[in-house]
Amino acid sequence: MNAVLDVQEFRVRYGHSEALHGVDLQVREGELAAVAGANGAGKSTLVGAVAGWSRGKVTVTGSVALDGVDVAGLAPHRRVAAGIVLVPEGKGVFENLTVEDNLRLVRAARDARGRRYSVEDVYAVFPQLKERATKKCSTLSGGERQMVAIGRALRAAPRLLILDEPSVGLAPRLVLEVLQHIRQLVDEGLTVLLVEQNVRATLEVADRIYLLEQGKVAAEGSAGEMRADDRIAEAYLGGLRT
Ligand SMILES: Nc1ncnc2c1ncn2[C@@H]1O[C@H](COP(=O)(O)OP(=O)(O)O)[C@@H](O)[C@H]1O
Ligand SMILES: [Mg+2]
């Protein structure tokens, strides 16, 4: 199968301290791949470096290819134009603007198939945003805010949508709701790389999972393989295999 994203030997250093120690990761066409792991494992570092973002003094080595084309040397906005769209953790909306303005402010791009996501298309994905169209984002629930952030990212016509902890801070009921919306987008043809701290919830929706521990891939496999792995059951699922 074709890899939409192919990351090899990825190393990221902050000054003299290495946070990512040679990570290999692929996201295949039309799948929901996930990077799961504890706080501080290096998940945001990984996806930030894939998107070309850097906070502070960051050194990145290794290769990043989108559809077989090397993008490692490209500035962040060029990677967005190439189709790598990252929704960073806890960001992605303008609190003081209405839902509709948040969506309209992104200039709609066309994806590889020539498809555009109009504001109405985003409302079709997230009907409850239409009801809230004229409300300021600051008045929305956490789940609705995530929907706006994802909707904004869709307007940019991602080839690869990367979501960094979209469920952070949400009530358990909303976590599954947001993750199921993401699953639905993948079922409709989108390719997604999801970052999650919640391994159990990730196993519910993802096709394949990379488990990141201390800057390294500790395990990888299909959701089924990972669920059947005793080490994962013990360390992340409270010993209970589901
Ligand atoms: N801007 C930064 N400068 C220095 N160290 C950082 C920076 N961002 C993250 N780190 C360190 O890199 C490691 C991985 O962090 P991070 O990628 O944010 O993990 P995660 O997203 O999995 O919680 C942590 O040890 C963190 O302290
Ligand atoms: Mg993080």
Side-chain angles (χ1 to χ4, degrees):
M1 215 182 288
N2 296 335
V4 171
L5 181 73
D6 189 2
V7 171
Q8 303 219 3
E9 260 304 300
F10 221 40
R11 279 173 198 279
V12 179
R13 267 182 292 138
Y14 295 109
H16 294 293
S17 137
E18 192 173 88
L20 217 61
H21 315 296
V23 165
D24 290 356
L25 172 144
Q26 285 80 39
V27 184
R28 300 168 190 158
E29 171 103 54
E31 79 171 349
L32 174 42
V35 175
N39 196 15
K43 306 181 299 298
S44 296
T45 296
L46 170 61
V47 294
V50 166
W53 297 20
S54 51
R55 296 164 294 168
K57 193 168 171 282
V58 182
T59 316
V60 181
T61 61
S63 66
V64 194
L66 186 74
D67 290 316
V69 177
D70 179 18
V71 296
L74 297 184
H77 68 281
R78 295 223 173 264
R79 298 194 204 194
V80 174
I84 298 177
V85 179
L86 166 66
V87 179
E89 190 177 342
K91 297 208 188 78
V93 301
F94 293 104
E95 301 275 329
N96 287 323
L97 297 180
T98 64
V99 168
E100 182 118 354
D101 285 343
N102 262 279
L103 296 174
R104 290 209 181 284
L105 267 177
V106 183
R107 191 157 52 136
R110 281 178 201 281
D111 69 13
R113 288 174 289 184
R115 198 168 56 153
R116 280 173 74 231
Y117 271 97
S118 67
V119 170
E120 282 304 320
D121 291 335
V122 174
Y123 290 151
V125 176
F126 302 114
Q128 73 197 83
L129 292 187
K130 188 166 176 132
E131 295 162 26
R132 306 270 192 280
T134 60
K135 300 269 188 285
K136 276 191 181 179
C137 279
S138 55
T139 70
L140 302 182
S141 71
E144 289 165 344
R145 239 176 277 191
Q146 262 311 316
M147 291 175 198
V148 175
I150 295 169
R152 283 174 54 87
L154 290 176
R155 296 265 292 150
R159 170 69 174 141
L160 174 71
L161 176 61
I162 307 177
L163 301 167
D164 192 352
E165 296 207 41
S167 75
V168 79
L170 300 186
R173 180 177 52 83
L174 294 176
V175 171
L176 212 56
E177 188 184 327
V178 166
L179 293 183
Q180 277 163 353
H181 271 299
I182 295 163
R183 180 70 242 180
Q184 191 189 334
L185 289 168
V186 172
D187 291 340
E188 288 163 7
L190 196 66
T191 303
V192 171
L193 178 59
L194 169 71
V195 169
E196 261 296 330
Q197 217 179 108
N198 185 332
V199 176
R200 187 186 293 274
T202 307
L203 284 167
E204 298 275 326
V205 295
D207 296 306
R208 268 179 341 103
I209 295 161
Y210 292 83
L211 193 62
L212 204 61
E213 284 179 357
Q214 296 175 12
K216 282 191 200 134
V217 175
E220 70 171 282
S222 69
E225 286 164 349
M226 297 292 264
R227 225 180 274 121
D229 188 319
D230 285 334
R231 291 169 307 167
I232 288 160
E234 267 170 38
Y236 295 96
L237 306 176
L240 286 174
R241 230 193 268 172
T242 49

